[in-house]
Amino acid sequence: MTFTQILPLTDISRADACSTPPTRAATSPEHADALAHSLKALADPARLRIISIVSAHANQEACVCDLTDQLTLSQPTISHHLKVLVEAGFVSRVKRGTWSYYSLVPGSLGSVAGVLSAI
Amino acid sequence: MTFTQILPLTDISRADACSTPPTRAATSPEHADALAHSLKALADPARLRIISIVSAHANQEACVCDLTDQLTLSQPTISHHLKVLVEAGFVSRVKRGTWSYYSLVPGSLGSVAGVLSAI
DNA sequence: TCCTTAGATTGACATTGGTCGATGTATTGC
DNA sequence: GCAATACATCGACCAATGTCAATCTAAGGA
């Protein structure tokens, strides 16, 4: 019989008296990086409003002119925010004629919400 | 019978030909600001790991030494991240003796997740 | 072909944000 | 009271980010 059998492993493995042992493993750094990247894309008032405006449309689709109408931001700035959202996978773009139409990627928001509440 | 009865109102109310009408109102700027502020507090790998480490503990409580052990960050940096999380309402602090213990604010993550999936 | 329009890209700028070393402040133990 | 420990705060620095004016590209229309 060894010491590790007599004493709980958690008491041996840590030296700090202040702490209680963890019940499960914490999120990996890679997982945290990925989630933070998604959250960063959402963590901007203009981008949240863009998502809201897009999803408020009948066919879940809005053109850039809808956004420049409602947001008090320049057209390049809105285009920049749209690019961030596309690269993060929250909206997708389709071009018809002169106009670009943006739509929500189904489930993308719910996925982040699910991960968040599962932490 | 007037024109507004013949033609759909939505066709009259907007001048842009590229756009479909919205089915509901978009999020208010104030609401977007508030949600963005909460998301900003979460949108950092170190802070996500802090939340994960705290919630992985038996009593949903961890001291700073638990965090300095697991995160490869300086103690002032960790203290800074903790302050951000406290001010955003995701964790709370209680001091017992020399040690500060941080714990998750129940429901705070779920609340953000709920708002997110309701956009 | 040329002009106009829609929207993307570029470059520059100011602001914010993450990080650390140094220091400050309680609390504990001697 | 004094030294040591745990943690917070401060100040500085560099990187990342939001914003806009200017420019570029592509699609239509005359």
Side-chain angles (χ1 to χ4, degrees):
Chain A
M1 179 174 275
T2 66
F3 278 120
T4 59
Q5 287 175 298
I6 297 173
L7 298 174
L9 266 174
T10 49
D11 285 341
I12 290 183
S13 60
R14 53 175 20 270
D16 298 328
C18 60
S19 174
T20 56
T23 56
R24 56 180 172 88
T27 305
S28 73
E30 294 75 21
H31 188 205
D33 279 346
L35 180 54
H37 189 258
S38 291
L39 290 173
K40 269 185 206 298
L42 295 176
D44 182 273
R47 291 198 286 270
L48 288 174
R49 293 187 66 194
I50 287 175
I51 289 179
S52 173
I53 291 170
V54 168
S55 67
H57 269 76
N59 39 5
Q60 302 262 317
E61 194 181 65
C63 69
V64 179
C65 62
D66 289 322
L67 304 170
T68 49
D69 281 353
Q70 299 187 48
L71 305 175
T72 55
L73 289 171
S74 71
Q75 177 266 321
T77 298
I78 291 177
S79 200
H80 160 70
H81 286 308
L82 285 167
K83 187 176 187 180
V84 172
L85 288 174
V86 168
E87 287 176 349
F90 291 108
V91 305
S92 59
R93 191 184 81 157
V94 58
K95 192 166 185 179
R96 284 199 296 272
T98 310
W99 298 291
S100 288
Y101 293 90
Y102 287 88
S103 55
L104 267 188
V105 172
S108 57
L109 277 181
S111 166
V112 171
V115 173
L116 214 55
S117 50
I119 282 184
Chain B
M1 180 172 275
T2 66
F3 277 118
T4 58
Q5 286 175 300
I6 296 172
L7 298 175
L9 265 174
T10 49
D11 285 340
I12 291 184
S13 62
R14 54 171 22 267
D16 297 329
C18 62
S19 174
T20 55
T23 55
R24 55 179 173 86
T27 305
S28 72
E30 295 74 22
H31 189 204
D33 280 346
L35 181 53
H37 189 258
S38 291
L39 289 172
K40 269 185 206 297
L42 295 176
D44 182 272
R47 291 198 284 272
L48 288 174
R49 294 188 66 196
I50 287 175
I51 288 179
S52 172
I53 292 170
V54 168
S55 66
H57 268 74
N59 39 3
Q60 303 260 316
E61 195 181 65
C63 67
V64 179
C65 62
D66 289 321
L67 305 171
T68 51
D69 282 352
Q70 299 187 47
L71 306 175
T72 55
L73 289 170
S74 71
Q75 176 265 320
T77 298
I78 293 178
S79 202
H80 160 71
H81 286 307
L82 285 168
K83 188 177 185 179
V84 172
L85 288 173
V86 167
E87 287 175 348
F90 291 108
V91 305
S92 60
R93 190 183 82 158
V94 58
K95 193 165 185 180
R96 284 199 295 272
T98 310
W99 297 291
S100 287
Y101 294 90
Y102 288 86
S103 55
L104 269 188
V105 172
S108 57
L109 277 181
S111 166
V112 171
V115 172
L116 214 55
S117 49
I119 282 183

